[in-house]
Amino acid sequence: MAAAVAALGLTAALAGCGDTSAPGDVTLKVVAAEYGTNAEDSSKNYWESLASSFEADNPGIKIDVYIRPWKTIDADVARMVDEGKAPDIAQIGSYSHYAKDDKLYAADDLLSIPAQSNFLDQLSEAGEVNRIQYGMPFVASTRLLFYNKELFESAGVSAPKDWDDIKADAEALKADGVTTPLALPLGTEEAQGETLMWLLSGGGGYTDNADGSYSIDSPTNVKTFTWLQKDLVGKGLTGPVPPKDLDRATAFKAFTSGQVGMLNGHPTLMKDAAKRGVKVGMVPLPGADGKAAPSVGVADWIMGFKQNGHREEIGKFLNFSYEDKNVLSFAGQYDLLPVTYSANETMLADPEHKDLRTFLTALPDSELFPYGKNSWSQVSESFKKNIGSAVERGASPQAVLGRIARDASAAEASE
């Protein structure tokens, strides 16, 4: 509700500014995601300030920003594009299908050479389709297993080192009266991220390392979800809300309220927990037999749409956005990871951000989503809609993963 009100307020204010534009002025429509949890830390504050600073230095270019919640923003932008009302700039979760349909400017068309070469190599490559970069990373994060130190101490357990420990710790937390020993958010908000963490932990993943093809219903992945279903969900260790109905934001809020013993989280959760006085421990999610798997690396993307023909103006705004002060401002506000070498080095050296160093050092070796696959947006949506049912009582994890695998095959075949 707060995000929606913030979005409407900002839209109205900026729409009013548009009415005063002189003939020949260009207004860029920017659709951006909401990272905040209330009006005070809403993303609209960052974008409003950024737009104001940019407009002061670039008369004739107006910035009209629309803030959308993460739960709907990809669908919101897709609808705008389908209706022939594409934004000039979108900051969302995937880009490749728009690149495939020739709707995006290449990064080469928009950014200066110094700006483009400043992206972390791993993220630049992840933004490519057929070796051309279309997706420009906005912020990044890695994932760790968070646990509530006070709840763990009360239950007499320590940070888990393998899956047996995860189960044993969750059982002890439940016996000690913890509402949700382990939160498993497989709702539609970001099920694809939670899923990949567990698949990697079990030795699998979304794709085959040999040829990059999807391996969604591999025996290894089926084994992982069978364990989640029987040993965690089936034992009543994941709380009162079924995983398929639990979104990440709700799970995070419960964690910062002291109701959750452990869950997978990103850097922003660390900051929110500290605000509420929750003492947090963080470890890499352990593998089934103890060895930690690579962390999940997640990047959110900016892209420039061709429809309105504003290449030059889009480029000016994006080059301004990627100046270190702006990259660090947003990343620092939400305890996320900057996507440029220069900003990363600055953050690593800053004592104020020492708690982020574990996440920063995990990023280069992290496993990213298959962003460059044109089919990924469709496959991601299939995970969001279906994967939660794989851990329900009486369900067949193999059947659910098989259904998603068939969706992936169909999406690949249509490309």
Side-chain angles (χ1 to χ4, degrees), residues 151-152 155 170 172-182 236 239 258-262:
L151 294 181
F152 266 54
L173 289 163
K174 182 180 180 180
D176 202 41
V178 176
T179 304
T180 303
L182 182 143
Q259 302 172 45
V260 174
M262 51 184 156

Side-chain angles (χ1 to χ4, degrees), residues 44-370:
K44 76 112 173 175
N45 300 321
Y46 167 81
W47 287 103
E48 193 171 40
S49 176
L50 185 72
S52 178
S53 296
F54 176 79
E55 289 171 354
D57 294 336
N58 294 272
I61 305 177
K62 303 294 183 182
I63 307 298
D64 190 355
V65 180
Y66 296 76
I67 304 298
R68 293 288 183 267
W70 265 118
K71 193 168 183 176
T72 66
I73 190 168
D74 287 314
D76 292 339
V77 171
R79 184 177 62 255
M80 293 175 195
V81 173
D82 289 343
E83 293 174 351
K85 300 175 182 178
D88 295 286
I89 296 170
Q91 181 262 301
I92 54 179
S94 61
Y95 63 86
S96 58
H97 55 304
Y98 296 123
K100 174 237 178 185
D101 292 338
D102 196 32
K103 295 183 182 297
L104 302 181
Y105 290 113
D108 289 345
D109 297 327
L110 301 173
L111 297 179
S112 68
I113 292 175
Q116 190 176 359
S117 62
N118 198 22
F119 291 134
L120 297 173
D121 285 345
Q122 182 194 29
L123 298 178
S124 286
E125 293 172 4
E128 294 178 355
V129 174
N130 296 326
R131 299 186 179 275
I132 298 174
Q133 184 178 2
Y134 294 94
M136 291 159 280
F138 178 63
V139 286
S141 66
T142 49
R143 302 289 193 259
L144 296 174
L145 181 68
F146 283 63
Y147 63 94
N148 184 313
K149 287 184 174 181
E150 292 183 350
L151 294 181
F152 266 54
E153 182 178 350
S154 176
V157 294
S158 57
K161 295 181 174 62
D162 56 28
W163 283 8
D164 287 341
D165 283 352
I166 290 175
K167 180 182 177 182
D169 287 356
E171 289 173 335
L173 289 163
K174 182 180 180 180
D176 202 41
V178 176
T179 304
T180 303
L182 182 143
L184 186 65
L186 294 175
T188 57
E189 182 187 358
E190 209 213 7
Q192 79 282 10
E194 183 73 14
T195 297
L196 183 56
M197 282 206 71
W198 286 105
L199 295 185
L200 292 173
S201 177
Y206 282 156
T207 58
D208 188 307
N209 290 332
D211 61 8
S213 61
Y214 285 116
S215 57
I216 292 167
D217 59 346
S218 69
T220 302
N221 290 345
V222 170
K223 184 178 180 180
T224 293
F225 263 80
T226 300
W227 181 81
L228 290 173
Q229 178 198 47
K230 294 183 176 179
D231 287 63
L232 294 184
V233 180
K235 302 292 185 183
L237 302 177
T238 55
V241 180
K244 70 181 180 64
D245 297 325
L246 182 63
D247 282 338
R248 179 185 61 178
T250 303
F252 280 14
K253 185 175 181 180
F255 183 82
T256 59
S257 299
Q259 302 172 45
V260 174
M262 51 184 156
L263 82 170
N264 293 316
H266 55 59
T268 301
L269 180 60
M270 179 178 61
K271 181 177 182 179
D272 291 343
K275 285 181 180 179
R276 293 179 175 269
V278 175
K279 296 180 180 179
V280 172
M282 296 175 292
V283 294
L285 179 63
D289 298 321
K291 182 179 179 181
S295 176
V296 170
V298 178
D300 301 329
W301 304 93
I302 279 186
M303 60 214 69
F305 282 87
K306 292 180 176 181
Q307 180 179 304
N308 302 313
H310 295 152
R311 183 188 64 80
E312 182 178 350
E313 293 82 5
I314 293 171
K316 285 184 178 180
F317 183 65
L318 291 180
N319 277 290
F320 177 77
S321 300
Y322 281 114
E323 291 179 8
D324 275 0
K325 62 181 180 181
N326 297 321
V327 172
L328 288 166
S329 174
F330 192 91
Q333 180 178 349
Y334 296 104
D335 277 343
L336 293 169
L337 309 183
V339 295
T340 63
Y341 283 106
S342 55
N344 247 272
E345 290 168 2
T346 298
M347 183 172 276
L348 274 170
D350 188 347
E352 182 180 345
H353 296 295
K354 63 181 181 180
D355 290 339
L356 284 175
R357 289 172 185 165
T358 302
F359 294 95
L360 284 163
T361 54
L363 182 59
D365 297 320
S366 63
E367 180 89 10
L368 296 170
F369 297 129

